[in-house]
Amino acid sequence: MEEIKHAPQRPSRSNTNSMESHSTNEKSQPTLFYKVDIVVIGAGQAGLSAAYYLKRYGIEPGKGFVVLDDESGAGGAWQHRWDSLTLTNVNGINDLPGLSFADAVDQTDKAIRANVALPQYYAAYEKQYKLPIIRPVKVTKVEEKNGRFLVHTNAVQFSARGIINATGTWKTPNLPKYPGWDTFQGIQLHTQQYKNAAAFVGKHVLIVGAGISAIQLLGEISKVTQTTWVSRRPPEFKAYSFTAELGRASVAMVDQRVRDGLPPNSVVSVTGLPRTPAIEEMLKSGVLARQPMFDEITPTGVRWANGHYLDVDVILWNTGFQHTLDHLAPLGLIHAKGGIQMSGRLATQVAADPRIHLTGYGPSASTIGANRAGRAAAKELIDFLKLGQ
Ligand code: FAD
């Protein structure tokens, strides 16, 4: 990358990559920013898809766009998923554009772990398309100055005309703080930290939550040790299999929410949980004997308002995730209704600032959604910024 030092500029077309200096603090030394047209933040399915299409639509890798990712290797959130999540029990992995999962990863062993197979796939993909991924680089803050975005990181800083944010949800788990949460002397962990059930043998594990992760981990842990399951609401088990039509209907509902400026909700909250053979088996065995949510955590267990007390060694919070967007806070994108109002063909474009796209967000928070979103975001952003004309 060419490095030029100059005073802060007026907004300009910058197909030539360069370096500029901005003093972001009166007293500090000027910070050097590499100039590109577009910064993609995150290299999971959503970021890779966006990068593929930016390149395909003529934006030069490295000079015109870069992808920043805070992990040290390929795989996005998949590299951290628990060991028992294999290709047989994932919901389904959609191919990235241009290279099929089957061509990149040997799947003869169906027991291959998702946290091995997906990183292999993404690594092969990044290599095949020579995508300009810079890692590990954590974006700490994005702010606007003189019509450009200043992308602050723990390493190199960037100045860009457009942003495609694809930071997923894995880094921001929901961890509700019930009264007494900080007094508990046992182990508390979130789905995000869970690796396998072996660590809990001989312990009484309290599973919290009513989503897919809670049910799956309850099934797994209850095979090796004593479990109790609590949730605020009972899950809705539905006698259907997850069809493409149902998927489309639930995506449409989330799409409408974000277009209205509401925070996105999860697909499960829209569809309920399908009664899979694994769930049927758990219903029969009595493992799915749900108790209502407790009211207080004590040093040795949990207590309900009616005085009922339960001794537990482990509290496993399967309480979901929220989109990882803190670094965009300085841009003030939150709508009065609490979410970020979205527009564009697939609701990837931030209505308040069309130079910003969020992919893998709301209706596109799945491997198939992330793929399509990457294409729509790349195309719409290139058009809006009038790049390559
Ligand atoms: P991620 O894969 O999370 O990628 C985001 C990347 O951005 C990561 O590498 C992250 O480290 C990086 N990043 C985050 N913040 C920053 C920052 N500030 N600076 C730099 N980099 C940053 N979907 C399916 O389609 N099929 C499934 O079977 C399925 N199973 C799932 C199971 C679980 C337990 C969960 C939680 C989700 C599952 N999903 C599934 C949804 C899944 O999250 C998406 O499908 C998809 O893989 C997410 O891709 P992504 O690119 O949006 O996010």
Side-chain angles (χ1 to χ4, degrees), residues 259-279:
R259 286 182 194 275
D260 289 343
L262 291 161
N265 49 3
S266 74
V267 170
V268 168
S269 71
V270 178
T271 61
L273 288 164
R275 281 175 82 127
T276 59
I279 287 178

Side-chain angles (χ1 to χ4, degrees), residues 130-191:
K130 296 187 178 62
L131 298 175
I133 296 166
I134 309 178
R135 59 162 67 96
V137 173
K138 183 177 174 63
V139 174
T140 51
K141 182 170 73 169
V142 180
E143 54 182 0
E144 201 195 356
K145 205 159 197 175
N146 300 331
R148 293 185 70 94
F149 294 110
L150 302 184
V151 181
H152 298 262
T153 82
N154 61 337
V156 185
Q157 321 303 314
F158 289 87
S159 159
R161 297 183 61 213
I163 300 286
I164 297 181
N165 191 82
T167 43
T169 59
W170 190 253
K171 297 281 159 77
T172 38
N174 281 327
L175 256 179
K177 289 192 172 145
Y178 274 74
W181 68 274
D182 51 348
T183 64
F184 187 60
Q185 289 167 2
I187 302 166
Q188 284 191 80
L189 75 166
H190 185 271
T191 327

Side-chain angles (χ1 to χ4, degrees), residues 187-327:
I187 302 166
Q188 284 191 80
L189 75 166
H190 185 271
T191 327
Q192 192 213 38
Q193 286 120 14
Y194 178 80
K195 284 289 170 214
N196 55 55
F200 303 125
V201 174
K203 296 185 161 63
H204 184 178
V205 182
L206 184 69
I207 313 265
V208 185
I212 294 176
S213 308
I215 307 299
Q216 209 178 91
L217 298 189
L218 172 64
E220 177 168 326
I221 298 169
S222 63
K223 289 196 179 121
V224 302
T225 197
Q226 185 188 1
T227 51
T228 301
W229 174 38
V230 296
S231 70
R232 280 188 304 171
R233 283 181 291 273
E236 279 186 69
F237 293 118
K238 300 246 172 101
Y240 60 68
S241 48
F242 199 84
T243 60
E245 200 178 307
L246 185 68
R248 273 194 294 276
S250 50
V251 164
M253 288 172 83
V254 184
D255 181 288
Q256 193 53 54
R257 277 183 69 87
V258 298
R259 286 182 194 275
D260 289 343
L262 291 161
N265 49 3
S266 74
V267 170
V268 168
S269 71
V270 178
T271 61
L273 288 164
R275 281 175 82 127
T276 59
I279 287 178
E280 292 289 0
E281 201 186 306
M282 287 168 77
L283 283 165
K284 260 194 230 138
S285 73
V287 170
L288 285 174
R290 172 190 162 271
Q291 295 198 30
M293 193 62 198
F294 54 78
D295 296 284
E296 184 197 354
I297 302 175
T298 74
T300 52
V302 294
R303 200 187 311 276
W304 283 259
N306 64 8
H308 177 61
Y309 168 79
L310 186 72
D311 227 1
V312 296
D313 306 300
V314 180
I315 306 176
L316 175 53
W317 298 91
N318 297 284
T319 36
F321 297 83
Q322 47 190 286
H323 287 283
T324 306
L325 298 171
D326 282 357
H327 52 288

Side-chain angles (χ1 to χ4, degrees), residues 42 44-46 69-70 76-78 81 91-92 137 139 166-168 171 366-367:
Q45 188 105 1
D69 188 61
D70 63 2
W78 287 103
R81 301 250 152 93
N91 290 339
V137 173
V139 174
T167 43
K171 297 281 159 77
S366 68
T367 52

